Structure formats: structure tokens, C-alpha cells
Amino acid sequence: MKKAFLISVIVEMAFLGAATTMSLADDLPALNSKWREPQQGTCLEITQISDALPGPAGCAQIAGRMKDDLMIGYACKSGSEISFFTGLQTDNSIKPDIFIGRYSAEAIIAQYCTRISNDWPPEYDCRNEMTFKSVSSCTP
């Protein structure tokens, strides 16, 4: 009898826990979501979101595309923080490479860094900002 009671309590606790806690995806930019920067028309699409990473910040890895470049980074529920890199497979050209910012359901506001020159060691200028608005499609 004790064993049956214990099993029913565990099952009920698991059910209540699942019903009352929000999933990680509820607080992160949505899978396959698209975000357009209106001035330059740059579009960002988030195509992959990992399971939650260990730790209290509620972070997950994100990946996708920005124009023709691959994008990879992290998004965290704590502080609605997002950071990602683009252009990892390209020719080291001088363009936005590093984005650090915050997200909401309507926008991703990110400070971005560009490489100042192709000289070594690399130096970055991070005084610029971009706002990506949530859109239904990346096609203009």
C-alpha cells in the first residue's frame, strides 16, 4: 500500500510540475522565427534551439541564418539576453560579426561589433546598434 501511494504522489507531483512550469521555448525567441532590420533589410532566422543548458539563467544555444551567413549563439531567459556570431565561414570581411543584446516578442535590439581592419590582431568597433522586428517572412 505504501508503495502504491508513493508512486501516485510522484506521478501527481510530476504532472503538477509539468502543468505549472513554462518550457524554455516559452521565454526564448521562437523556433523558425524571423526578424528583419528595417533600414538595411537584413533578416535573421532562428532555425535551431537546443535543450536548456545547466544553470539558473535558463540559457539555450540558438542557430540560424542571417542573409547568407550562418549564425550561432545563446539566448537566456534571465534578462532576456541574446548574443550571437555571424560570418564564421566567410572571408574575414569587415561587417557585423558579433551581436549582443536583448529580445522580446516584438524585437531583438542588439549592439553589434565590426572588425576595424583585416590586420592582425583583430580589433573591433562595438558602438553600433541594430533593431530587428519580428516578421512573418524574410522575403521582401
Side-chain angles (χ1 to χ4, degrees), residues 1-7:
M1 182 68 167
K2 287 182 183 181
K3 187 176 183 179
F5 176 74
L6 180 59
I7 290 172

Side-chain angles (χ1 to χ4, degrees), residues 49-67:
I49 300 175
S50 75
D51 291 334
L53 300 171
C59 296
Q61 287 182 307
I62 58 171
R65 297 198 72 75
M66 187 167 170
K67 288 187 178 183

Side-chain angles (χ1 to χ4, degrees), residues 67-117:
K67 288 187 178 183
D68 294 327
D69 290 337
L70 297 177
M71 175 277 291
I72 190 163
Y74 294 90
C76 299
K77 292 191 296 186
S78 175
S80 298
E81 295 174 0
I82 189 167
S83 59
F84 53 92
F85 299 93
T86 63
L88 301 176
Q89 81 284 5
T90 60
D91 64 352
N92 229 7
S93 62
I94 302 169
K95 61 181 178 178
D97 290 328
I98 303 166
F99 295 79
I100 301 168
R102 303 213 180 284
Y103 64 87
S104 69
E106 298 83 33
I108 295 174
I109 300 171
Q111 180 179 356
Y112 66 91
C113 303
T114 55
R115 192 162 172 179
I116 295 171
S117 74

